[in-house]
Amino acid sequence: MTRTAAVSPLAVLLVTANLAHAEPASYTIEPNHTSVIFEAKHFGTSTIRVRFNATSGSITIDPVAKAGKASIVIDAGSVVSGVPKFDQTLQGIDLFNVKRFPDATFIATDFRFDGEKVSQVSGTLTIIGNTQPVTLNATNYNCYQSPTLKKQVCGGDFETTIKRSLWNMNFGIPFIPDDTRLLIQIEATRD
């Protein structure tokens, strides 16, 4: 009887912890650990890497129902290449046209899972007023208890290749190819 009494609270604790972890959870994007990067070849030689430093948004994940949704806003004016003159071109009317379209958005409505880990996210990407479907594949996904925030943080690395001409971003084609690699490094803190 003593053994049953000792095991019972532990079993209840484990079941309760699993249920708490398994229910849908809402997260807010942590901007210091989130960035969006585009990569494209320059005249088939080197790789141009462009980074957006300012993002915001929210994510809901339900690992039991294998579902999720996300709304991510990318500040187009935060685009940097490391070359100030090229940054002006990126922000200008030939590419991101940030005066007219200050934000890009990714709205995800379909999450795929491998066990409890997000493996793929599909939705729509809107750039310069044009919206197209996009599927991002996770190359890494993890959740951890942040020692500084005292909250759960989830995130990872997601990537895909898009044809930028689908968004009417034709500047530099064919010298800068249409195929553009999109990488998203994201972390979000549980609300």
Side-chain angles (χ1 to χ4, degrees):
M1 187 161 211
T2 306
R3 186 174 191 189
T4 305
V7 172
S8 190
L10 178 59
V12 170
L13 181 62
L14 289 172
V15 169
T16 305
N18 285 338
L19 288 175
H21 177 69
E23 62 188 36
S26 296
Y27 298 81
T28 299
I29 289 179
E30 207 292 304
N32 293 323
H33 294 99
T34 301
S35 64
V36 177
I37 297 169
F38 284 97
E39 292 183 347
K41 291 290 183 193
H42 184 250
F43 286 84
T45 306
S46 61
T47 301
I48 297 171
R49 289 181 178 86
V50 174
R51 175 182 167 126
F52 295 87
N53 288 325
T55 56
S56 61
S58 61
I59 300 169
T60 301
I61 300 172
D62 187 341
V64 173
K66 306 293 186 207
K69 59 184 178 179
S71 176
I72 300 169
V73 177
I74 303 157
D75 177 355
S78 72
V79 65
V80 292
S81 65
V83 180
K85 190 159 179 70
F86 185 48
D87 293 348
Q88 292 174 359
T89 301
L90 289 166
Q91 294 174 9
I93 60 171
D94 290 326
L95 288 168
F96 290 101
N97 196 359
V98 298
K99 285 186 180 174
R100 185 166 175 210
F101 302 100
D103 297 322
T105 58
F106 178 64
I107 306 297
T109 53
D110 182 21
F111 279 47
R112 302 291 166 102
F113 290 76
D114 181 5
E116 286 194 2
K117 293 187 176 242
V118 177
S119 60
Q120 191 177 75
V121 178
S122 297
T124 57
L125 177 63
T126 302
I127 305 172
I128 59 171
N130 299 298
T131 303
Q132 296 292 330
V134 169
T135 297
L136 299 164
N137 296 305
T139 59
N140 177 55
Y141 181 83
N142 185 51
C143 294
Y144 67 95
Q145 187 67 24
S146 170
T148 55
L149 299 173
K150 309 292 188 220
K151 294 183 177 184
Q152 183 188 50
V153 175
C154 291
D157 300 307
F158 295 82
E159 64 180 50
T160 192
T161 298
I162 62 172
K163 292 198 174 296
R164 60 190 174 94
S165 62
L166 293 174
W167 285 267
N168 295 327
M169 297 183 75
N170 301 310
F171 178 81
I173 296 174
F175 307 112
I176 301 171
D178 194 10
D179 286 347
T180 304
R181 191 168 171 225
L182 170 63
L183 302 110
I184 298 178
Q185 163 201 328
I186 188 165
E187 290 192 22
T189 305
R190 189 166 181 167
D191 296 335

PDB file of all heavy atoms in Angstrom, residues 75-113:
ATOM      1  N   ASP A  75       8.892  43.725 -41.368  1.00  0.00           N
ATOM      2  CA  ASP A  75       9.100  45.138 -41.689  1.00  0.00           C
ATOM      3  C   ASP A  75      10.036  45.220 -42.895  1.00  0.00           C
ATOM      4  O   ASP A  75      11.235  44.978 -42.768  1.00  0.00           O
ATOM      5  CB  ASP A  75       9.687  45.846 -40.478  1.00  0.00           C
ATOM      6  CG  ASP A  75      10.007  47.309 -40.729  1.00  0.00           C
ATOM      7  OD1 ASP A  75       9.866  47.789 -41.876  1.00  0.00           O
ATOM      8  OD2 ASP A  75      10.421  47.980 -39.770  1.00  0.00           O
ATOM      9  N   ALA A  76       9.490  45.532 -44.069  1.00  0.00           N
ATOM     10  CA  ALA A  76      10.299  45.564 -45.297  1.00  0.00           C
ATOM     11  C   ALA A  76      11.404  46.605 -45.225  1.00  0.00           C
ATOM     12  O   ALA A  76      12.463  46.443 -45.841  1.00  0.00           O
ATOM     13  CB  ALA A  76       9.401  45.810 -46.512  1.00  0.00           C
ATOM     14  N   GLY A  77      11.193  47.668 -44.463  1.00  0.00           N
ATOM     15  CA  GLY A  77      12.209  48.705 -44.313  1.00  0.00           C
ATOM     16  C   GLY A  77      13.413  48.269 -43.493  1.00  0.00           C
ATOM     17  O   GLY A  77      14.429  48.957 -43.470  1.00  0.00           O
ATOM     18  N   SER A  78      13.316  47.111 -42.840  1.00  0.00           N
ATOM     19  CA  SER A  78      14.434  46.619 -42.025  1.00  0.00           C
ATOM     20  C   SER A  78      15.404  45.765 -42.840  1.00  0.00           C
ATOM     21  O   SER A  78      16.309  45.160 -42.282  1.00  0.00           O
ATOM     22  CB  SER A  78      13.908  45.815 -40.834  1.00  0.00           C
ATOM     23  OG  SER A  78      13.382  44.562 -41.244  1.00  0.00           O
ATOM     24  N   VAL A  79      15.226  45.745 -44.166  1.00  0.00           N
ATOM     25  CA  VAL A  79      16.073  44.928 -45.042  1.00  0.00           C
ATOM     26  C   VAL A  79      17.500  45.480 -45.082  1.00  0.00           C
ATOM     27  O   VAL A  79      17.711  46.677 -45.221  1.00  0.00           O
ATOM     28  CB  VAL A  79      15.487  44.812 -46.466  1.00  0.00           C
ATOM     29  CG1 VAL A  79      15.452  46.153 -47.192  1.00  0.00           C
ATOM     30  CG2 VAL A  79      16.222  43.779 -47.290  1.00  0.00           C
ATOM     31  N   VAL A  80      18.470  44.582 -44.895  1.00  0.00           N
ATOM     32  CA  VAL A  80      19.877  44.975 -44.969  1.00  0.00           C
ATOM     33  C   VAL A  80      20.664  43.905 -45.715  1.00  0.00           C
ATOM     34  O   VAL A  80      20.391  42.722 -45.617  1.00  0.00           O
ATOM     35  CB  VAL A  80      20.509  45.191 -43.571  1.00  0.00           C
ATOM     36  CG1 VAL A  80      19.918  46.399 -42.883  1.00  0.00           C
ATOM     37  CG2 VAL A  80      20.374  43.964 -42.703  1.00  0.00           C
ATOM     38  N   SER A  81      21.637  44.372 -46.486  1.00  0.00           N
ATOM     39  CA  SER A  81      22.502  43.463 -47.240  1.00  0.00           C
ATOM     40  C   SER A  81      23.955  43.569 -46.781  1.00  0.00           C
ATOM     41  O   SER A  81      24.775  42.742 -47.155  1.00  0.00           O
ATOM     42  CB  SER A  81      22.438  43.803 -48.734  1.00  0.00           C
ATOM     43  OG  SER A  81      22.982  45.095 -48.959  1.00  0.00           O
ATOM     44  N   GLY A  82      24.260  44.624 -46.026  1.00  0.00           N
ATOM     45  CA  GLY A  82      25.642  44.898 -45.662  1.00  0.00           C
ATOM     46  C   GLY A  82      26.280  45.909 -46.598  1.00  0.00           C
ATOM     47  O   GLY A  82      27.402  46.357 -46.381  1.00  0.00           O
ATOM     48  N   VAL A  83      25.553  46.286 -47.671  1.00  0.00           N
ATOM     49  CA  VAL A  83      26.034  47.273 -48.641  1.00  0.00           C
ATOM     50  C   VAL A  83      24.977  48.383 -48.708  1.00  0.00           C
ATOM     51  O   VAL A  83      23.916  48.190 -49.314  1.00  0.00           O
ATOM     52  CB  VAL A  83      26.256  46.641 -50.033  1.00  0.00           C
ATOM     53  CG1 VAL A  83      26.752  47.683 -51.016  1.00  0.00           C
ATOM     54  CG2 VAL A  83      27.211  45.455 -49.943  1.00  0.00           C
ATOM     55  N   PRO A  84      25.217  49.532 -48.085  1.00  0.00           N
ATOM     56  CA  PRO A  84      24.193  50.581 -48.003  1.00  0.00           C
ATOM     57  C   PRO A  84      23.576  50.976 -49.343  1.00  0.00           C
ATOM     58  O   PRO A  84      22.368  51.191 -49.425  1.00  0.00           O
ATOM     59  CB  PRO A  84      24.937  51.759 -47.360  1.00  0.00           C
ATOM     60  CG  PRO A  84      26.015  51.108 -46.545  1.00  0.00           C
ATOM     61  CD  PRO A  84      26.433  49.903 -47.349  1.00  0.00           C
ATOM     62  N   LYS A  85      24.371  51.077 -50.399  1.00  0.00           N
ATOM     63  CA  LYS A  85      23.815  51.458 -51.706  1.00  0.00           C
ATOM     64  C   LYS A  85      22.844  50.401 -52.222  1.00  0.00           C
ATOM     65  O   LYS A  85      21.788  50.710 -52.777  1.00  0.00           O
ATOM     66  CB  LYS A  85      24.940  51.699 -52.711  1.00  0.00           C
ATOM     67  CG  LYS A  85      24.457  52.320 -54.012  1.00  0.00           C
ATOM     68  CD  LYS A  85      25.594  53.000 -54.731  1.00  0.00           C
ATOM     69  CE  LYS A  85      25.167  53.619 -56.031  1.00  0.00           C
ATOM     70  NZ  LYS A  85      24.311  54.773 -55.884  1.00  0.00           N
ATOM     71  N   PHE A  86      23.188  49.121 -52.024  1.00  0.00           N
ATOM     72  CA  PHE A  86      22.295  48.040 -52.435  1.00  0.00           C
ATOM     73  C   PHE A  86      21.035  48.024 -51.567  1.00  0.00           C
ATOM     74  O   PHE A  86      19.949  47.719 -52.052  1.00  0.00           O
ATOM     75  CB  PHE A  86      23.013  46.692 -52.390  1.00  0.00           C
ATOM     76  CG  PHE A  86      22.191  45.550 -52.917  1.00  0.00           C
ATOM     77  CD1 PHE A  86      21.512  45.645 -54.123  1.00  0.00           C
ATOM     78  CD2 PHE A  86      22.105  44.361 -52.218  1.00  0.00           C
ATOM     79  CE1 PHE A  86      20.749  44.590 -54.621  1.00  0.00           C
ATOM     80  CE2 PHE A  86      21.353  43.295 -52.699  1.00  0.00           C
ATOM     81  CZ  PHE A  86      20.676  43.415 -53.904  1.00  0.00           C
ATOM     82  N   ASP A  87      21.169  48.386 -50.289  1.00  0.00           N
ATOM     83  CA  ASP A  87      19.995  48.471 -49.417  1.00  0.00           C
ATOM     84  C   ASP A  87      18.981  49.467 -49.986  1.00  0.00           C
ATOM     85  O   ASP A  87      17.773  49.231 -49.935  1.00  0.00           O
ATOM     86  CB  ASP A  87      20.388  48.889 -47.997  1.00  0.00           C
ATOM     87  CG  ASP A  87      21.207  47.828 -47.283  1.00  0.00           C
ATOM     88  OD1 ASP A  87      21.291  46.688 -47.779  1.00  0.00           O
ATOM     89  OD2 ASP A  87      21.759  48.149 -46.207  1.00  0.00           O
ATOM     90  N   GLN A  88      19.475  50.579 -50.539  1.00  0.00           N
ATOM     91  CA  GLN A  88      18.572  51.564 -51.161  1.00  0.00           C
ATOM     92  C   GLN A  88      17.844  50.950 -52.351  1.00  0.00           C
ATOM     93  O   GLN A  88      16.657  51.197 -52.548  1.00  0.00           O
ATOM     94  CB  GLN A  88      19.361  52.791 -51.596  1.00  0.00           C
ATOM     95  CG  GLN A  88      19.897  53.605 -50.435  1.00  0.00           C
ATOM     96  CD  GLN A  88      20.802  54.751 -50.897  1.00  0.00           C
ATOM     97  OE1 GLN A  88      21.060  54.937 -52.081  1.00  0.00           O
ATOM     98  NE2 GLN A  88      21.304  55.521 -49.938  1.00  0.00           N
ATOM     99  N   THR A  89      18.556  50.142 -53.150  1.00  0.00           N
ATOM    100  CA  THR A  89      17.915  49.461 -54.283  1.00  0.00           C
ATOM    101  C   THR A  89      16.864  48.479 -53.784  1.00  0.00           C
ATOM    102  O   THR A  89      15.751  48.411 -54.325  1.00  0.00           O
ATOM    103  CB  THR A  89      18.968  48.718 -55.136  1.00  0.00           C
ATOM    104  OG1 THR A  89      19.918  49.672 -55.608  1.00  0.00           O
ATOM    105  CG2 THR A  89      18.336  48.006 -56.310  1.00  0.00           C
ATOM    106  N   LEU A  90      17.189  47.713 -52.747  1.00  0.00           N
ATOM    107  CA  LEU A  90      16.248  46.751 -52.185  1.00  0.00           C
ATOM    108  C   LEU A  90      14.979  47.441 -51.679  1.00  0.00           C
ATOM    109  O   LEU A  90      13.872  46.942 -51.870  1.00  0.00           O
ATOM    110  CB  LEU A  90      16.899  45.987 -51.033  1.00  0.00           C
ATOM    111  CG  LEU A  90      17.978  44.992 -51.409  1.00  0.00           C
ATOM    112  CD1 LEU A  90      18.771  44.572 -50.178  1.00  0.00           C
ATOM    113  CD2 LEU A  90      17.375  43.772 -52.095  1.00  0.00           C
ATOM    114  N   GLN A  91      15.139  48.614 -51.059  1.00  0.00           N
ATOM    115  CA  GLN A  91      13.994  49.331 -50.516  1.00  0.00           C
ATOM    116  C   GLN A  91      13.220  50.112 -51.568  1.00  0.00           C
ATOM    117  O   GLN A  91      12.083  50.515 -51.324  1.00  0.00           O
ATOM    118  CB  GLN A  91      14.459  50.274 -49.405  1.00  0.00           C
ATOM    119  CG  GLN A  91      14.995  49.536 -48.197  1.00  0.00           C
ATOM    120  CD  GLN A  91      15.582  50.468 -47.147  1.00  0.00           C
ATOM    121  OE1 GLN A  91      15.456  51.691 -47.236  1.00  0.00           O
ATOM    122  NE2 GLN A  91      16.218  49.889 -46.151  1.00  0.00           N
ATOM    123  N   GLY A  92      13.816  50.287 -52.740  1.00  0.00           N
ATOM    124  CA  GLY A  92      13.217  51.098 -53.800  1.00  0.00           C
ATOM    125  C   GLY A  92      12.106  50.400 -54.571  1.00  0.00           C
ATOM    126  O   GLY A  92      11.757  49.249 -54.320  1.00  0.00           O
ATOM    127  N   ILE A  93      11.588  51.121 -55.588  1.00  0.00           N
ATOM    128  CA  ILE A  93      10.417  50.640 -56.331  1.00  0.00           C
ATOM    129  C   ILE A  93      10.695  49.400 -57.177  1.00  0.00           C
ATOM    130  O   ILE A  93       9.770  48.677 -57.535  1.00  0.00           O
ATOM    131  CB  ILE A  93       9.804  51.760 -57.207  1.00  0.00           C
ATOM    132  CG1 ILE A  93      10.823  52.261 -58.227  1.00  0.00           C
ATOM    133  CG2 ILE A  93       9.285  52.890 -56.351  1.00  0.00           C
ATOM    134  CD1 ILE A  93      10.233  53.199 -59.257  1.00  0.00           C
ATOM    135  N   ASP A  94      11.962  49.112 -57.493  1.00  0.00           N
ATOM    136  CA  ASP A  94      12.267  47.935 -58.303  1.00  0.00           C
ATOM    137  C   ASP A  94      12.163  46.622 -57.521  1.00  0.00           C
ATOM    138  O   ASP A  94      12.047  45.559 -58.127  1.00  0.00           O
ATOM    139  CB  ASP A  94      13.678  48.038 -58.897  1.00  0.00           C
ATOM    140  CG  ASP A  94      13.757  49.113 -59.962  1.00  0.00           C
ATOM    141  OD1 ASP A  94      12.758  49.312 -60.684  1.00  0.00           O
ATOM    142  OD2 ASP A  94      14.817  49.765 -60.064  1.00  0.00           O
ATOM    143  N   LEU A  95      12.226  46.707 -56.201  1.00  0.00           N
ATOM    144  CA  LEU A  95      12.167  45.470 -55.413  1.00  0.00           C
ATOM    145  C   LEU A  95      11.086  45.576 -54.327  1.00  0.00           C
ATOM    146  O   LEU A  95       9.921  45.352 -54.623  1.00  0.00           O
ATOM    147  CB  LEU A  95      13.542  45.117 -54.843  1.00  0.00           C
ATOM    148  CG  LEU A  95      14.525  44.615 -55.920  1.00  0.00           C
ATOM    149  CD1 LEU A  95      15.933  44.542 -55.409  1.00  0.00           C
ATOM    150  CD2 LEU A  95      14.075  43.257 -56.445  1.00  0.00           C
ATOM    151  N   PHE A  96      11.416  45.924 -53.099  1.00  0.00           N
ATOM    152  CA  PHE A  96      10.426  45.852 -52.023  1.00  0.00           C
ATOM    153  C   PHE A  96       9.530  47.078 -51.897  1.00  0.00           C
ATOM    154  O   PHE A  96       8.527  47.025 -51.187  1.00  0.00           O
ATOM    155  CB  PHE A  96      11.116  45.542 -50.684  1.00  0.00           C
ATOM    156  CG  PHE A  96      11.636  44.139 -50.635  1.00  0.00           C
ATOM    157  CD1 PHE A  96      12.982  43.883 -50.837  1.00  0.00           C
ATOM    158  CD2 PHE A  96      10.788  43.069 -50.436  1.00  0.00           C
ATOM    159  CE1 PHE A  96      13.471  42.584 -50.822  1.00  0.00           C
ATOM    160  CE2 PHE A  96      11.255  41.763 -50.421  1.00  0.00           C
ATOM    161  CZ  PHE A  96      12.602  41.527 -50.615  1.00  0.00           C
ATOM    162  N   ASN A  97       9.866  48.168 -52.578  1.00  0.00           N
ATOM    163  CA  ASN A  97       9.003  49.346 -52.644  1.00  0.00           C
ATOM    164  C   ASN A  97       8.418  49.676 -51.260  1.00  0.00           C
ATOM    165  O   ASN A  97       7.208  49.738 -51.072  1.00  0.00           O
ATOM    166  CB  ASN A  97       7.892  49.117 -53.664  1.00  0.00           C
ATOM    167  CG  ASN A  97       7.209  50.404 -54.072  1.00  0.00           C
ATOM    168  OD1 ASN A  97       7.526  51.482 -53.592  1.00  0.00           O
ATOM    169  ND2 ASN A  97       6.254  50.284 -54.976  1.00  0.00           N
ATOM    170  N   VAL A  98       9.312  49.876 -50.286  1.00  0.00           N
ATOM    171  CA  VAL A  98       8.894  49.992 -48.893  1.00  0.00           C
ATOM    172  C   VAL A  98       8.037  51.222 -48.602  1.00  0.00           C
ATOM    173  O   VAL A  98       7.256  51.205 -47.645  1.00  0.00           O
ATOM    174  CB  VAL A  98      10.097  49.924 -47.927  1.00  0.00           C
ATOM    175  CG1 VAL A  98      10.804  48.601 -48.036  1.00  0.00           C
ATOM    176  CG2 VAL A  98      11.045  51.076 -48.113  1.00  0.00           C
ATOM    177  N   LYS A  99       8.142  52.255 -49.410  1.00  0.00           N
ATOM    178  CA  LYS A  99       7.284  53.424 -49.178  1.00  0.00           C
ATOM    179  C   LYS A  99       5.819  53.073 -49.421  1.00  0.00           C
ATOM    180  O   LYS A  99       4.935  53.511 -48.693  1.00  0.00           O
ATOM    181  CB  LYS A  99       7.715  54.598 -50.066  1.00  0.00           C
ATOM    182  CG  LYS A  99       8.983  55.259 -49.583  1.00  0.00           C
ATOM    183  CD  LYS A  99       9.319  56.482 -50.356  1.00  0.00           C
ATOM    184  CE  LYS A  99      10.612  57.095 -49.822  1.00  0.00           C
ATOM    185  NZ  LYS A  99      11.060  58.220 -50.621  1.00  0.00           N
ATOM    186  N   ARG A 100       5.564  52.278 -50.433  1.00  0.00           N
ATOM    187  CA  ARG A 100       4.187  51.879 -50.749  1.00  0.00           C
ATOM    188  C   ARG A 100       3.756  50.632 -49.980  1.00  0.00           C
ATOM    189  O   ARG A 100       2.595  50.492 -49.607  1.00  0.00           O
ATOM    190  CB  ARG A 100       4.047  51.648 -52.246  1.00  0.00           C
ATOM    191  CG  ARG A 100       2.634  51.361 -52.652  1.00  0.00           C
ATOM    192  CD  ARG A 100       2.420  51.470 -54.128  1.00  0.00           C
ATOM    193  NE  ARG A 100       1.066  51.061 -54.447  1.00  0.00           N
ATOM    194  CZ  ARG A 100       0.709  50.511 -55.562  1.00  0.00           C
ATOM    195  NH1 ARG A 100       1.588  50.315 -56.522  1.00  0.00           N
ATOM    196  NH2 ARG A 100      -0.534  50.160 -55.777  1.00  0.00           N
ATOM    197  N   PHE A 101       4.689  49.708 -49.745  1.00  0.00           N
ATOM    198  CA  PHE A 101       4.393  48.441 -49.077  1.00  0.00           C
ATOM    199  C   PHE A 101       5.360  48.238 -47.904  1.00  0.00           C
ATOM    200  O   PHE A 101       6.364  47.549 -48.036  1.00  0.00           O
ATOM    201  CB  PHE A 101       4.514  47.271 -50.068  1.00  0.00           C
ATOM    202  CG  PHE A 101       3.629  47.393 -51.267  1.00  0.00           C
ATOM    203  CD1 PHE A 101       4.149  47.836 -52.478  1.00  0.00           C
ATOM    204  CD2 PHE A 101       2.281  47.078 -51.195  1.00  0.00           C
ATOM    205  CE1 PHE A 101       3.338  47.951 -53.596  1.00  0.00           C
ATOM    206  CE2 PHE A 101       1.465  47.195 -52.302  1.00  0.00           C
ATOM    207  CZ  PHE A 101       1.993  47.636 -53.519  1.00  0.00           C
ATOM    208  N   PRO A 102       5.080  48.885 -46.775  1.00  0.00           N
ATOM    209  CA  PRO A 102       6.026  48.847 -45.661  1.00  0.00           C
ATOM    210  C   PRO A 102       6.183  47.467 -45.000  1.00  0.00           C
ATOM    211  O   PRO A 102       7.178  47.221 -44.334  1.00  0.00           O
ATOM    212  CB  PRO A 102       5.455  49.856 -44.661  1.00  0.00           C
ATOM    213  CG  PRO A 102       4.010  49.971 -45.008  1.00  0.00           C
ATOM    214  CD  PRO A 102       3.913  49.720 -46.484  1.00  0.00           C
ATOM    215  N   ASP A 103       5.213  46.584 -45.198  1.00  0.00           N
ATOM    216  CA  ASP A 103       5.270  45.271 -44.570  1.00  0.00           C
ATOM    217  C   ASP A 103       5.077  44.150 -45.580  1.00  0.00           C
ATOM    218  O   ASP A 103       4.387  44.316 -46.586  1.00  0.00           O
ATOM    219  CB  ASP A 103       4.157  45.124 -43.513  1.00  0.00           C
ATOM    220  CG  ASP A 103       4.302  46.097 -42.371  1.00  0.00           C
ATOM    221  OD1 ASP A 103       5.453  46.355 -41.964  1.00  0.00           O
ATOM    222  OD2 ASP A 103       3.272  46.599 -41.881  1.00  0.00           O
ATOM    223  N   ALA A 104       5.669  43.022 -45.273  1.00  0.00           N
ATOM    224  CA  ALA A 104       5.366  41.752 -45.926  1.00  0.00           C
ATOM    225  C   ALA A 104       4.746  40.874 -44.849  1.00  0.00           C
ATOM    226  O   ALA A 104       5.018  41.070 -43.653  1.00  0.00           O
ATOM    227  CB  ALA A 104       6.629  41.117 -46.492  1.00  0.00           C
ATOM    228  N   THR A 105       3.903  39.927 -45.229  1.00  0.00           N
ATOM    229  CA  THR A 105       3.260  39.079 -44.224  1.00  0.00           C
ATOM    230  C   THR A 105       3.299  37.614 -44.639  1.00  0.00           C
ATOM    231  O   THR A 105       3.263  37.284 -45.830  1.00  0.00           O
ATOM    232  CB  THR A 105       1.784  39.471 -43.998  1.00  0.00           C
ATOM    233  OG1 THR A 105       1.087  39.389 -45.232  1.00  0.00           O
ATOM    234  CG2 THR A 105       1.666  40.872 -43.439  1.00  0.00           C
ATOM    235  N   PHE A 106       3.388  36.761 -43.633  1.00  0.00           N
ATOM    236  CA  PHE A 106       3.254  35.320 -43.843  1.00  0.00           C
ATOM    237  C   PHE A 106       2.140  34.855 -42.923  1.00  0.00           C
ATOM    238  O   PHE A 106       2.223  35.022 -41.707  1.00  0.00           O
ATOM    239  CB  PHE A 106       4.555  34.578 -43.541  1.00  0.00           C
ATOM    240  CG  PHE A 106       4.438  33.083 -43.699  1.00  0.00           C
ATOM    241  CD1 PHE A 106       4.167  32.518 -44.937  1.00  0.00           C
ATOM    242  CD2 PHE A 106       4.588  32.246 -42.612  1.00  0.00           C
ATOM    243  CE1 PHE A 106       4.053  31.152 -45.091  1.00  0.00           C
ATOM    244  CE2 PHE A 106       4.483  30.877 -42.745  1.00  0.00           C
ATOM    245  CZ  PHE A 106       4.213  30.320 -43.994  1.00  0.00           C
ATOM    246  N   ILE A 107       1.075  34.303 -43.510  1.00  0.00           N
ATOM    247  CA  ILE A 107      -0.052  33.771 -42.755  1.00  0.00           C
ATOM    248  C   ILE A 107      -0.070  32.267 -42.977  1.00  0.00           C
ATOM    249  O   ILE A 107      -0.300  31.799 -44.098  1.00  0.00           O
ATOM    250  CB  ILE A 107      -1.397  34.387 -43.219  1.00  0.00           C
ATOM    251  CG1 ILE A 107      -1.350  35.920 -43.176  1.00  0.00           C
ATOM    252  CG2 ILE A 107      -2.553  33.830 -42.388  1.00  0.00           C
ATOM    253  CD1 ILE A 107      -1.154  36.523 -41.825  1.00  0.00           C
ATOM    254  N   ALA A 108       0.203  31.511 -41.925  1.00  0.00           N
ATOM    255  CA  ALA A 108       0.247  30.053 -42.020  1.00  0.00           C
ATOM    256  C   ALA A 108      -1.039  29.460 -41.451  1.00  0.00           C
ATOM    257  O   ALA A 108      -1.497  29.862 -40.384  1.00  0.00           O
ATOM    258  CB  ALA A 108       1.448  29.506 -41.270  1.00  0.00           C
ATOM    259  N   THR A 109      -1.596  28.509 -42.171  1.00  0.00           N
ATOM    260  CA  THR A 109      -2.839  27.872 -41.740  1.00  0.00           C
ATOM    261  C   THR A 109      -2.719  26.361 -41.664  1.00  0.00           C
ATOM    262  O   THR A 109      -3.631  25.694 -41.190  1.00  0.00           O
ATOM    263  CB  THR A 109      -3.975  28.230 -42.717  1.00  0.00           C
ATOM    264  OG1 THR A 109      -3.549  27.913 -44.048  1.00  0.00           O
ATOM    265  CG2 THR A 109      -4.317  29.713 -42.650  1.00  0.00           C
ATOM    266  N   ASP A 110      -1.605  25.802 -42.130  1.00  0.00           N
ATOM    267  CA  ASP A 110      -1.435  24.352 -42.155  1.00  0.00           C
ATOM    268  C   ASP A 110      -0.074  23.981 -41.583  1.00  0.00           C
ATOM    269  O   ASP A 110       0.957  24.294 -42.175  1.00  0.00           O
ATOM    270  CB  ASP A 110      -1.570  23.844 -43.602  1.00  0.00           C
ATOM    271  CG  ASP A 110      -1.462  22.333 -43.700  1.00  0.00           C
ATOM    272  OD1 ASP A 110      -1.683  21.634 -42.684  1.00  0.00           O
ATOM    273  OD2 ASP A 110      -1.149  21.837 -44.793  1.00  0.00           O
ATOM    274  N   PHE A 111      -0.079  23.338 -40.417  1.00  0.00           N
ATOM    275  CA  PHE A 111       1.140  22.862 -39.769  1.00  0.00           C
ATOM    276  C   PHE A 111       1.197  21.345 -39.896  1.00  0.00           C
ATOM    277  O   PHE A 111       0.197  20.669 -39.673  1.00  0.00           O
ATOM    278  CB  PHE A 111       1.147  23.230 -38.288  1.00  0.00           C
ATOM    279  CG  PHE A 111       1.558  24.638 -37.981  1.00  0.00           C
ATOM    280  CD1 PHE A 111       1.033  25.720 -38.671  1.00  0.00           C
ATOM    281  CD2 PHE A 111       2.455  24.894 -36.960  1.00  0.00           C
ATOM    282  CE1 PHE A 111       1.394  27.017 -38.369  1.00  0.00           C
ATOM    283  CE2 PHE A 111       2.841  26.197 -36.646  1.00  0.00           C
ATOM    284  CZ  PHE A 111       2.313  27.262 -37.352  1.00  0.00           C
ATOM    285  N   ARG A 112       2.339  20.821 -40.244  1.00  0.00           N
ATOM    286  CA  ARG A 112       2.575  19.371 -40.265  1.00  0.00           C
ATOM    287  C   ARG A 112       3.552  19.035 -39.149  1.00  0.00           C
ATOM    288  O   ARG A 112       4.426  19.835 -38.833  1.00  0.00           O
ATOM    289  CB  ARG A 112       3.139  18.918 -41.614  1.00  0.00           C
ATOM    290  CG  ARG A 112       2.254  19.242 -42.808  1.00  0.00           C
ATOM    291  CD  ARG A 112       0.998  18.390 -42.766  1.00  0.00           C
ATOM    292  NE  ARG A 112       0.004  18.885 -43.684  1.00  0.00           N
ATOM    293  CZ  ARG A 112      -0.245  18.347 -44.870  1.00  0.00           C
ATOM    294  NH1 ARG A 112       0.451  17.310 -45.275  1.00  0.00           N
ATOM    295  NH2 ARG A 112      -1.197  18.846 -45.634  1.00  0.00           N
ATOM    296  N   PHE A 113       3.415  17.843 -38.595  1.00  0.00           N
ATOM    297  CA  PHE A 113       4.221  17.438 -37.448  1.00  0.00           C
ATOM    298  C   PHE A 113       4.925  16.115 -37.700  1.00  0.00           C
ATOM    299  O   PHE A 113       4.424  15.259 -38.429  1.00  0.00           O
ATOM    300  CB  PHE A 113       3.334  17.292 -36.203  1.00  0.00           C
ATOM    301  CG  PHE A 113       2.818  18.589 -35.665  1.00  0.00           C
ATOM    302  CD1 PHE A 113       1.779  19.263 -36.288  1.00  0.00           C
ATOM    303  CD2 PHE A 113       3.366  19.151 -34.527  1.00  0.00           C
ATOM    304  CE1 PHE A 113       1.294  20.457 -35.790  1.00  0.00           C
ATOM    305  CE2 PHE A 113       2.896  20.350 -34.019  1.00  0.00           C
ATOM    306  CZ  PHE A 113       1.857  21.004 -34.644  1.00  0.00           C
TER     307      PHE A 113
END
